[in-house]
Amino acid sequence: MDFSEKQLTEETNRLFQALKKTGWSKADCEVIAPLTLEINQIKKEKNTIILGHSYMTPDIMYGVADIVGDSYGLSKAAKETKADTIVFCSVHFMAETAKIMNPDKTVIVPAIAGCSLAESITTNDVRELRQNYPEAGVVCYVNTTAAVKAECDACCTSSNALKIIEALPQKKVIFLPDELMAKNLQPLTKKKIISWTGRCIVHEEFTPETIEEVRKEYPNAKILAHLECMPEVIEKVDMAGGTEGMIKYIEKTPAKELMLVTECGLSDRMKVEHPEKKIIGSCALCLYMKKIMLKDVLQALKSPTPEQIIDIPDDVIKKAKKALNKMVKITERYEK
Ligand code: SF4
């Protein structure tokens, strides 16, 4: 596609305004300007919405995404959109969630990217857990495949996990697949949580020593950690929660220095959206999320391959939707 000098200069300036806080130079922005212009033009022509997870690189979040958010926010956006096609810049299970919410829409992923949590459990594992604990309700974290969601009573995200566990009628709850999140949630509820053995390969890397080093270097910083970190880390921080909870905390706190113990995409996002604060990033990259690049978004928009188009059997959609709707219903009850 050809663009005029004026269009390219304006696009470079637009990108630089957003990305400079994350270390991008004007020359870097100049390089990607033709790509972002082309993607944004095609997306309009094809009535397509681009959703970007907070762990994407800043060029995707601020260059081409129409909505940036966490898994729950993006699932809601996917449900509400009037666009015919959704390009979901995130890992595969999240795009599956968008498809479950919108079976009539075309949902495309720019790269086939997994997740250590989603890959840690199969449908047979869930069935076996149910057999072993017939008296327990089953809550699955959103980081699971559509097929696993279809085997569960309710789905949850890191922001609403506790509310969902509390809302189930059973006294015992199988919480899967994140072992560390289950450990972090157990002290917050009287219910007995039965966990699985999945772990997020990004968040399990943080140690109590990481926090101690940050405290020494930035004694005034508030430290926020994701609930996928180990309990020994959570004990040492000022706030623990999901992505959305961390964002809300940053918006409200008078603290000027904040350290985010999570994937570095969120730190980039907060640097752009809160230039008045000093955000100390963690440099922890999710290799699954970072598989998606602008060139993949363009290719997927232009001519997606069959593997990039999310396809889920109808019976799985029906059952997984029940678990997701339960989460939405319970969460909305709390929001009222
Ligand atoms: S950050 Fe962890 S939980 Fe999120 S996609 Fe990557 S591996 Fe999965």
Short mmCIF file of all heavy atoms in Angstrom, two decimals, residues 55 91 115-117 143 200-202 228 286 288-289, ligand 1:
data_model
loop_
_atom_site.label_atom_id
_atom_site.label_comp_id
_atom_site.label_asym_id
_atom_site.label_seq_id
_atom_site.Cartn_x
_atom_site.Cartn_y
_atom_site.Cartn_z
N TYR A 55 -0.28 -7.63 27.70
CA TYR A 55 1.08 -8.18 27.61
C TYR A 55 1.64 -8.09 26.19
O TYR A 55 2.71 -8.63 25.90
CB TYR A 55 1.10 -9.65 28.06
CG TYR A 55 0.80 -9.90 29.52
CD1 TYR A 55 0.62 -11.20 30.00
CD2 TYR A 55 0.69 -8.86 30.44
CE1 TYR A 55 0.33 -11.46 31.34
CE2 TYR A 55 0.39 -9.12 31.78
CZ TYR A 55 0.21 -10.41 32.21
OH TYR A 55 -0.06 -10.67 33.53
N VAL A 91 -2.78 -14.85 23.47
CA VAL A 91 -2.56 -16.30 23.33
C VAL A 91 -3.86 -17.00 22.91
O VAL A 91 -4.95 -16.42 22.99
CB VAL A 91 -1.99 -16.89 24.65
CG1 VAL A 91 -0.54 -16.50 24.81
CG2 VAL A 91 -2.80 -16.46 25.84
N CYS A 115 0.24 -21.31 26.29
CA CYS A 115 0.36 -20.72 27.63
C CYS A 115 0.67 -21.90 28.55
O CYS A 115 0.00 -22.94 28.45
CB CYS A 115 -0.96 -20.06 28.03
SG CYS A 115 -1.16 -19.79 29.80
N SER A 116 1.66 -21.74 29.43
CA SER A 116 2.04 -22.89 30.27
C SER A 116 0.89 -23.33 31.18
O SER A 116 0.78 -24.52 31.50
CB SER A 116 3.27 -22.53 31.11
OG SER A 116 3.00 -21.43 31.95
N LEU A 117 0.03 -22.40 31.56
CA LEU A 117 -1.11 -22.78 32.41
C LEU A 117 -2.13 -23.57 31.60
O LEU A 117 -2.56 -24.65 32.00
CB LEU A 117 -1.77 -21.53 33.00
CG LEU A 117 -1.09 -20.90 34.21
CD1 LEU A 117 -1.78 -19.60 34.59
CD2 LEU A 117 -1.09 -21.85 35.40
N ASN A 143 -7.35 -19.00 31.92
CA ASN A 143 -6.19 -19.56 31.20
C ASN A 143 -6.33 -21.07 31.04
O ASN A 143 -5.53 -21.86 31.55
CB ASN A 143 -4.89 -19.26 31.97
CG ASN A 143 -4.60 -17.79 32.05
OD1 ASN A 143 -5.51 -16.98 32.14
ND2 ASN A 143 -3.34 -17.43 32.01
N CYS A 200 2.34 -20.47 35.88
CA CYS A 200 2.70 -19.52 34.83
C CYS A 200 4.22 -19.41 34.83
O CYS A 200 4.82 -19.06 35.86
CB CYS A 200 2.07 -18.16 35.11
SG CYS A 200 2.87 -16.85 34.19
N ILE A 201 4.83 -19.69 33.69
CA ILE A 201 6.31 -19.71 33.66
C ILE A 201 6.91 -18.31 33.84
O ILE A 201 8.09 -18.20 34.13
CB ILE A 201 6.85 -20.33 32.35
CG1 ILE A 201 6.20 -19.67 31.12
CG2 ILE A 201 6.69 -21.83 32.31
CD1 ILE A 201 6.99 -19.88 29.85
N VAL A 202 6.10 -17.29 33.67
CA VAL A 202 6.61 -15.92 33.88
C VAL A 202 6.56 -15.57 35.37
O VAL A 202 7.57 -15.19 35.98
CB VAL A 202 5.78 -14.90 33.06
CG1 VAL A 202 6.25 -13.47 33.35
CG2 VAL A 202 5.87 -15.21 31.58
N GLU A 228 -0.54 -14.80 40.30
CA GLU A 228 0.10 -16.03 39.78
C GLU A 228 1.50 -16.22 40.36
O GLU A 228 2.17 -17.19 40.05
CB GLU A 228 0.18 -15.97 38.25
CG GLU A 228 -1.16 -16.13 37.57
CD GLU A 228 -1.14 -15.78 36.09
OE1 GLU A 228 -0.05 -15.65 35.51
OE2 GLU A 228 -2.23 -15.60 35.51
N CYS A 286 6.69 -12.74 28.57
CA CYS A 286 6.00 -13.99 28.26
C CYS A 286 6.30 -14.30 26.79
O CYS A 286 5.84 -13.58 25.89
CB CYS A 286 4.50 -13.86 28.48
SG CYS A 286 3.64 -15.32 27.88
N TYR A 288 5.18 -16.57 24.98
CA TYR A 288 3.98 -16.91 24.22
C TYR A 288 3.33 -15.63 23.69
O TYR A 288 3.02 -15.51 22.52
CB TYR A 288 2.96 -17.64 25.10
CG TYR A 288 3.44 -18.92 25.73
CD1 TYR A 288 3.73 -18.99 27.09
CD2 TYR A 288 3.56 -20.08 24.97
CE1 TYR A 288 4.15 -20.17 27.68
CE2 TYR A 288 3.97 -21.27 25.55
CZ TYR A 288 4.26 -21.32 26.91
OH TYR A 288 4.67 -22.48 27.49
N MET A 289 3.12 -14.69 24.59
CA MET A 289 2.45 -13.43 24.20
C MET A 289 3.29 -12.67 23.17
O MET A 289 2.77 -12.09 22.23
CB MET A 289 2.25 -12.54 25.43
CG MET A 289 1.20 -13.04 26.39
SD MET A 289 -0.44 -12.54 25.85
CE MET A 289 -1.43 -13.08 27.26
S1 SF4 B 1 2.10 -14.68 31.23
FE1 SF4 B 1 1.91 -16.76 32.06
S2 SF4 B 1 -0.31 -17.08 32.23
FE2 SF4 B 1 -0.01 -15.33 30.84
S3 SF4 B 1 0.05 -16.27 28.80
FE3 SF4 B 1 2.19 -16.13 29.50
S4 SF4 B 1 2.57 -18.14 30.44
FE4 SF4 B 1 0.36 -17.95 30.24
#
